[in-house]
Amino acid sequence: MKLSRRHFLKGTAALGATSVAPALTGLNMAHANQDDYKALVCIFLFGGNDAYNMVIPTDDGAYQKYEQARRNLAIAQSDLVPLNIASDNGVKLGLHPAMQSLKSTFAEQNATVIVNSGQLVEPIIGANNPNSRVPDFLMAHNLQQTMWQSGAENMNDKLGWAGRMVQDMNLSGSLSPLMSLNGEQKWLRNNHVEPLVMTSEGAGDYTGLNNSDRLGAMMRHFDEKYANLYADNYSTTMASRYYENDALDDALASVGDLDGFPQTGLGNMLHTTAKLIKVRNAASLQHNRQVFFVGLGGFDTHKDQAGTHAALLGQVSDALAAFYQEMKAQGLSDQVTAFTMSDFGRRIMANDSGTDHGWAGHQLVVGGAVKGGRAYGNWPDLTPGSEYDYNNGRLIPEIAADQVNATLANWFGYKGELEVLFPSLKTFPQNTLGFL
Amino acid sequence: MASSIYQPEQAAKFLYRATFGPKPGDVDDFLQLGVEAWLDDQFTRSWRLHRPLAERYANASGDTLNENARLSAWWNRSLNAGDQLRQRVAYALSQIFVVSNSGGPNAEGLAEYYDVLLKHAFGNFRDLLEAVTLSPAMGKFLTLEGSRKANPDNNTFPDENYAREVMQLFSLGLWQLQNNGMPRLDGQGNKEPTYTQRDVEELARVLTGWRRDTYLKPMYADDSRHDFGEKRVLGQTFPEGQSPEQDLSQAMDLLFNHRNTPMFISILLIKRLTVSNPRRSYIQRVADVFKDNGKGVRGDMVAVIKAILLDQDVIDGKAMADHQAHGSNGRNFGKVKEPIIAMANLCRAFNVKSNDPERWWDFPATQNNYGQAPLRAPSVFNFYEPDYAPKGEITDKQLTAPEFAILSMDSMRRISNRMWTMILAHDSTNVKQWSWNRSQFEKKINKPDEYIELLNERFFAGLMSTELAGFIRQMLDELTADNRNDDRKINDTLFAIQCSPEFRCQE
């Protein structure tokens, strides 16, 4: 117990890392191949994004149907940000005026929209089957969030799809390559390695640990065995969190602030994400694959939606645009793909000044690997009572979230069976969508 | 149930569950009174409200009632109010009937909402549910306020937000439950949902027509916005022509009397107050009391709280062996303390005082440091979901430990830092900080036996393990051998105590 802090840390860092990640079998890519690097960045829009006011048709015909359905919530046609992309059925699309900053990324054909996508367990649109099954607890926030993160048929699975995917890929790294900057998330849960849960502030000091006696005392608590379940697990959790912080502190020390990120919650998260990508080869990371979860709340816009939603979309757009620019600057734009998820879309018809929980929405996908210049999926008929109308303007998705997720997993290098990762895929004509 | 508590060890454990932690002398006082008298006293004490105090604090420094004033009042009440059980239960209720600053009302509205929970903590669940439903803070947070009947001309519909969450989170839960809280299965072995989307839509119609005047009084009915048509919710008809009040009252009765509500609410309260993994029989005993307090009254909160705190399983230290089984297991008994409650335990052990004679300030910087703060959850789903299990043993055994969900790399470090700051603040004079009297510790620091006894009394109410005591003894020996001064010895040992897993968990 007479060790200096540095001595202590250097001496036990490796031990700490193995106790954090005990079961990483398979190839250890100690000399990570730079060219092989890839990252997935999930931007979760908590609360249920009103995607039908994020991506809006610019064509007169489709716009009029949009305006008729949305009434007082409709965004003026003249305010839309034209994208010069069209859906599979030829509807030209634009963005909410607050999302101007993403225009150039679409123009470079490095961003796209997955139109009218959402949770499905089997096809409904075009299936001509009045008995098509619908997912459980549509419109319930937490269960729909879970479904995005675990797979439509995997609600009872303890693990998330990114976690299961990474587990199967035997990814290496001293620190977990699965990182959340937005709290513990099911998406990253797996059986091998605990996800690293941090904030955009990264690592920091334990102010009390500035002498070896106190450090020794905490160490003793780490190593002690406890008869009680909670104390015993608390001890190992406390140890893991300490070692993670220390390793991350070392890694992040080598990179300063990056340019161009907006000072917003999401901007800060994507800024830190970009730093973690930049230091991926540091001794304490050694990541040739990384998976990030960031998020933004406030999308549950039941009331007074217009201003709130514009501000949220602006934040998403500005942060995402800055992140894309930084990836280009790092020469990694082809290797990093960012995408949105959200609980559900919102009902097309309003509750007065806001909107209620719906079903289908759209996702954005951004990165050099994106096959842009077009959108994916059919623009639905927004007329009440159309084949897309589940009830009162809650739209039925045509593209399954699991197909989108499988496309991402496939690009990321998952070599297992996609239909094992996402069992619902068996019911769909194609597993992946070709947007990457 | 109705077990009695005569031993100091049991008394100490009880006080960690029923209060924000024992203060010096609390265990003796409790034993002298006896558990029944202690509870009767707590149940009949007048409530110590938060909003008036927060207002006083704000006035004292010329501020409006802001979050600092509200959280400062929360700390003073939680640390010092005599109605400890009420304060503790209100904090538990604030994590069931979640209202949050994020999307919710201003600090004044939040403080008033907390007071609504305090006032109803020992009443009837039916009244509590109605008070929550009509609270303007809840009206703002889950947007019931202003919800109006469908308008075909404008293509608008009633707001379904509250209708959904009041069923999913505040009464029924998602799945039909057996009397012991386990999901009921249909013939195919599938769980059965308690409600449909249609029920949500219909209940949303029932609950139209409520508006807010100020955050200080319940919402009022506006007939012009109410849907007077017939509705049908969970198989029950709401006749045409009922007023907003009549519809609301019938809805409250329906949810209150639903067969799920006693089990669903009992499990949540058990997990906040006593253990993370109650045995099925414990859940059933509490739920049975919820259904009938023995005098034919359903939803008697006093009876429910007593049943939770005095259950034989709690006295005997028995918990679920694994999630589905009937056995029992002593190792699985207890829970991780919520971070803010561990902090409150530390502060009560120190008997901290505000340095500002006019008011308290939020010295713990509650908003950013604990992964949780009163009425500041990220969403209506609270800081953690009640069934969360961390990877490893707890998941493998199909157990739960929700508090682990917020023990991230960041919050674990910040909790440690805030506790350390509190330890160092004993001699602080900064007006926005708190301080505590270290003289007892200084008096005994060079008498290891007495000093360790003091630590045991202050931080564990007598429950410190012999292993931890032995380790502190060894620390003191080494510090003495190294000629460390008293200040260093006290700081080092207190640091070791605050980060010990046995201080951060409760049995």
Side-chain angles (χ1 to χ4, degrees):
Chain A
M1 229 167 291
K2 300 281 189 275
L3 296 165
S4 75
R5 178 165 189 243
R6 289 320 299 176
H7 181 162
F8 163 73
L9 295 174
K10 292 300 171 204
T12 55
L15 179 75
T18 49
S19 74
V20 171
L24 284 179
T25 52
L27 18 157
N28 189 327
M29 313 279 280
H31 305 285
N33 179 350
Q34 175 91 10
D35 296 331
D36 187 45
Y37 172 79
K38 279 183 181 174
L40 286 175
V41 181
C42 172
I43 299 163
F44 206 104
L45 311 179
F46 286 99
N49 175 33
D50 189 4
Y52 277 88
N53 262 11
M54 175 176 79
V55 175
I56 299 157
T58 53
D59 291 340
D60 287 346
Y63 181 83
Q64 276 156 21
K65 280 191 171 181
Y66 159 84
E67 190 182 32
Q68 181 59 25
R70 303 229 77 171
R71 307 280 178 98
N72 56 330
L73 285 174
I75 306 295
Q77 191 175 8
S78 57
D79 290 345
L80 301 178
V81 179
L83 291 179
N84 209 17
I85 62 170
S87 65
D88 287 342
N89 55 344
V91 174
K92 293 208 181 84
L93 302 175
L95 288 175
H96 187 286
M99 303 185 80
Q100 183 75 32
S101 49
L102 270 178
K103 187 179 180 184
S104 64
T105 314
F106 276 90
E108 291 172 36
Q109 307 205 347
N110 287 332
T112 192
V113 178
I114 313 297
V115 175
N116 201 45
S117 48
Q119 291 302 331
L120 288 173
V121 290
E122 61 184 52
I124 298 175
I125 299 299
N128 284 325
N129 174 8
N131 298 319
S132 288
R133 290 184 305 133
V134 304
D136 289 336
F137 286 108
L138 287 173
M139 293 139 222
H141 288 291
N142 59 340
L143 296 169
Q144 293 302 303
Q145 288 167 6
T146 301
M147 217 174 266
W148 278 97
Q149 296 189 28
S150 60
E153 294 277 30
N154 303 75
M155 290 284 277
N156 293 326
D157 197 323
K158 293 268 182 205
L159 312 177
W161 70 256
R164 287 183 280 125
M165 169 182 77
V166 163
Q167 185 173 309
D168 190 79
M169 292 170 74
N170 290 322
L171 297 184
S172 63
S174 319
L175 275 171
S176 175
L178 296 150
M179 291 173 265
S180 171
L181 289 92
N182 196 104
E184 200 285 328
Q185 298 293 340
K186 185 174 183 183
W187 190 50
L188 304 176
R189 282 184 218 157
N190 67 92
N191 279 328
H192 281 185
V193 53
E194 266 190 305
L196 186 61
V197 181
M198 65 181 107
T199 66
S200 48
E201 289 179 44
D205 286 339
Y206 278 76
T207 50
L209 290 183
N210 52 355
N211 81 33
S212 58
D213 304 312
R214 297 196 280 267
L215 201 53
M218 199 144 112
M219 273 297 288
R220 176 267 175 195
H221 299 329
F222 292 173
D223 295 340
E224 187 81 4
K225 288 283 162 231
Y226 301 84
N228 181 269
L229 176 81
Y230 308 97
D232 210 27
N233 281 274
Y234 198 95
S235 153
T236 50
T237 301
M238 193 163 60
S240 300
R241 300 297 169 262
Y242 174 78
Y243 292 125
E244 288 164 6
N245 181 70
D246 200 61
L248 198 64
D249 207 16
D250 279 354
L252 286 174
S254 66
V255 57
D257 280 346
L258 307 172
D259 289 335
F261 284 91
Q263 298 280 316
T264 59
L266 191 61
N268 291 337
M269 285 187 202
L270 285 175
H271 186 178
T272 302
T273 300
K275 288 187 196 177
L276 290 161
I277 289 171
K278 195 161 188 175
V279 298
R280 67 196 176 279
N281 292 321
S284 57
L285 271 72
Q286 307 260 334
H287 292 152
N288 73 325
R289 286 285 190 283
Q290 292 177 315
V291 180
F292 296 96
F293 185 101
V294 302
L296 178 62
F299 284 89
D300 196 18
T301 47
H302 287 266
K303 283 189 78 171
D304 306 326
Q305 173 172 307
T308 311
H309 195 232
L312 290 168
L313 291 180
Q315 188 178 162
V316 170
S317 176
D318 294 353
L320 201 45
F323 181 73
Y324 171 74
Q325 290 305 324
E326 172 60 26
M327 290 304 102
K328 278 214 301 198
Q330 290 187 25
L332 290 174
S333 61
D334 292 352
Q335 287 152 271
V336 178
T337 299
F339 55 95
T340 59
M341 289 185 185
S342 190
D343 318 14
F344 34 65
R346 305 193 76 78
R347 187 166 62 186
I348 298 301
M349 286 58 160
N351 313 327
D352 219 358
S353 63
T355 50
D356 225 297
H357 303 183
W359 186 358
H362 319 297
Q363 288 174 264
L364 301 180
V365 189
V366 175
V370 171
K371 293 177 182 155
R374 53 168 290 200
Y376 292 79
N378 292 317
W379 189 262
D381 181 353
L382 299 183
T383 314
S386 84
E387 65 169 330
Y388 289 93
D389 189 3
Y390 178 58
N391 103 2
N392 291 332
R394 292 179 235 266
L395 296 175
I396 301 170
E398 192 161 359
I399 290 175
D402 282 356
Q403 292 177 295
V404 181
N405 296 339
T407 309
L408 294 165
N410 192 52
W411 171 80
F412 193 61
Y414 173 74
K415 296 287 183 250
E417 293 287 330
L418 288 171
E419 293 179 10
V420 173
L421 196 57
F422 299 106
S424 78
L425 291 176
K426 293 191 198 79
T427 67
F428 292 92
Q430 52 188 123
N431 286 347
T432 59
L433 300 171
F435 60 83
L436 287 168
Chain B
M1 68 121 202
S3 314
S4 243
I5 294 172
Y6 304 109
Q7 303 301 319
E9 188 180 314
Q10 280 294 347
K13 290 179 178 176
F14 178 91
L15 289 171
Y16 276 109
R17 297 170 193 135
T19 73
F20 283 95
K23 280 194 174 186
D26 279 359
V27 171
D28 289 342
D29 292 349
F30 176 90
L31 287 169
Q32 203 136 40
L33 267 174
V35 63
E36 288 293 338
W38 187 91
L39 284 168
D40 286 345
D41 175 48
Q42 286 290 316
F43 287 132
T44 49
R45 273 178 192 250
S46 59
W47 47 61
R48 304 283 284 155
L49 298 177
H50 289 217
R51 187 179 60 78
L53 185 64
E55 203 166 72
R56 216 173 77 209
Y57 287 173
N59 288 339
S61 47
D63 298 328
T64 51
L65 201 171
N66 55 23
E67 282 292 84
N68 193 310
R70 181 178 74 83
L71 293 166
S72 305
W74 186 90
W75 280 106
N76 188 8
R77 289 299 188 232
S78 300
L79 299 182
N80 299 315
D83 59 335
Q84 276 286 298
L85 179 60
R86 187 187 290 275
Q87 299 287 336
R88 186 75 181 74
V89 170
Y91 186 50
L93 293 174
S94 78
Q95 296 185 60
I96 298 172
F97 303 104
V98 174
V99 163
S100 170
N101 72 307
S102 165
N106 60 19
E108 181 186 50
L110 292 173
E112 178 66 20
Y113 180 71
Y114 206 86
D115 287 345
V116 167
L117 298 177
L118 276 168
K119 288 175 185 171
H120 288 276
F122 297 159
N124 190 286
F125 185 84
R126 166 70 177 73
D127 301 330
L128 171 62
L129 186 63
E130 181 167 322
V132 163
T133 302
L134 289 182
S135 151
M138 183 62 87
K140 163 79 173 159
F141 181 56
L142 291 183
T143 57
L144 184 62
E145 172 228 329
S147 177
R148 55 168 97 201
K149 64 186 172 193
N151 180 338
D153 291 342
N154 286 340
N155 213 7
T156 62
F157 291 87
D159 193 311
E160 295 167 15
N161 203 11
Y162 189 72
R164 179 186 316 279
E165 308 306 5
V166 72
M167 291 195 286
Q168 183 181 343
L169 299 172
F170 304 163
S171 56
L172 320 184
L174 290 172
W175 308 108
Q176 302 278 0
L177 301 175
Q178 304 174 48
N179 292 334
N180 65 6
M182 286 184 73
R184 210 165 68 183
L185 304 180
D186 66 14
Q188 279 79 51
N190 297 316
K191 293 195 275 191
E192 301 173 80
T194 49
Y195 59 87
T196 64
Q197 172 60 22
R198 181 88 192 150
D199 289 318
V200 172
E201 289 167 19
E202 290 288 286
L203 185 56
R205 293 179 60 212
V206 167
L207 297 177
T208 45
W210 293 95
R211 302 184 70 178
R212 165 170 59 98
D213 186 359
T214 77
Y215 280 127
L216 305 186
K217 50 186 193 195
M219 294 193 288
Y220 67 94
D222 177 347
D223 285 358
S224 72
R225 295 176 167 218
H226 183 63
D227 184 335
F228 283 88
E230 181 183 288
K231 306 108 185 163
R232 200 164 167 78
V233 183
L234 299 169
Q236 192 175 97
T237 300
F238 287 65
E240 187 177 351
Q242 289 201 135
S243 68
E245 292 89 345
Q246 286 169 324
D247 266 351
L248 183 111
S249 179
Q250 186 180 342
M252 294 298 105
D253 286 341
L254 176 62
L255 300 178
F256 173 59
N257 289 310
H258 191 280
R259 60 158 282 115
N260 255 39
T261 303
M263 286 76 80
F264 185 74
I265 296 297
S266 296
I267 293 170
L268 295 176
L269 282 170
I270 287 169
K271 289 195 175 206
R272 287 301 105 234
L273 296 173
T274 56
V275 299
S276 292
N277 293 286
R279 294 203 303 163
R280 293 290 162 196
S281 48
Y282 175 23
I283 293 167
Q284 180 156 352
R285 286 189 291 271
V286 175
D288 285 348
V289 170
F290 189 111
K291 291 172 197 170
D292 182 346
N293 66 354
K295 296 171 194 152
V297 177
R298 184 181 177 94
D300 173 3
M301 291 291 287
V302 164
V304 170
I305 293 159
K306 273 173 118 164
I308 289 170
L309 293 173
L310 298 179
D311 191 86
Q312 196 63 46
D313 270 14
V314 178
I315 307 300
D316 294 346
K318 287 182 179 169
M320 178 94 75
D322 94 36
H323 203 65
Q324 303 299 328
H326 293 286
S328 90
N329 186 312
R331 175 174 162 82
N332 299 344
F333 184 77
K335 70 193 289 289
V336 173
K337 286 178 191 171
E338 295 175 36
I340 213 169
I341 288 180
M343 183 68 185
N345 286 178
L346 185 79
C347 292
R348 277 174 63 86
F350 283 148
N351 204 10
V352 299
K353 304 274 185 247
S354 172
N355 293 342
D356 186 338
E358 301 298 320
R359 62 167 290 184
W360 283 54
W361 295 85
D362 181 27
F363 179 40
T366 319
Q367 305 183 21
N368 300 317
N369 289 311
Y370 301 89
Q372 62 173 182
L375 300 184
R376 294 181 63 93
S379 79
V380 72
F381 298 97
N382 199 24
F383 312 110
Y384 24 63
E385 298 212 9
D387 286 337
Y388 176 75
K391 189 178 98 59
E393 182 185 9
I394 294 171
T395 291
D396 297 346
K397 290 183 170 170
Q398 293 189 290
L399 299 169
T400 72
E403 294 82 3
F404 275 110
I406 54 173
L407 294 173
S408 67
M409 185 188 86
D410 196 65
S411 59
M412 205 53 128
R413 177 176 62 82
R414 288 165 180 272
I415 291 163
S416 176
N417 289 353
R418 293 317 306 185
M419 293 206 177
W420 177 237
T421 302
M422 195 66 250
I423 290 168
L424 294 180
H426 65 94
D427 60 353
S428 163
T429 53
N430 182 322
V431 79
K432 293 193 176 180
Q433 298 190 352
W434 307 345
S435 55
W436 55 281
N437 183 342
R438 207 171 77 169
S439 61
Q440 289 269 322
F441 294 82
E442 288 160 3
K443 221 177 285 170
K444 296 183 174 175
I445 186 64
N446 290 312
K447 301 169 190 158
D449 289 339
E450 288 181 37
Y451 184 72
I452 289 166
E453 191 41 48
L454 176 67
L455 296 182
N456 187 12
E457 187 211 333
R458 287 292 186 94
F459 302 101
F460 300 98
L463 300 168
M464 180 158 62
S465 70
T466 52
E467 290 83 0
L468 183 58
F471 173 70
I472 298 292
R473 175 96 203 195
Q474 183 192 329
M475 262 189 106
L476 287 170
D477 289 348
E478 289 181 20
L479 288 163
T480 303
D482 288 351
N483 288 318
R484 300 300 186 190
N485 65 23
D486 291 358
D487 186 63
R488 172 78 178 260
K489 288 181 188 174
I490 294 173
N491 286 344
D492 284 3
T493 48
L494 292 182
F495 182 90
I497 292 291
Q498 65 77 22
C499 68
S500 66
E502 56 194 273
F503 180 74
R504 302 277 185 95
C505 300
Q506 76 179 39
E507 279 183 55

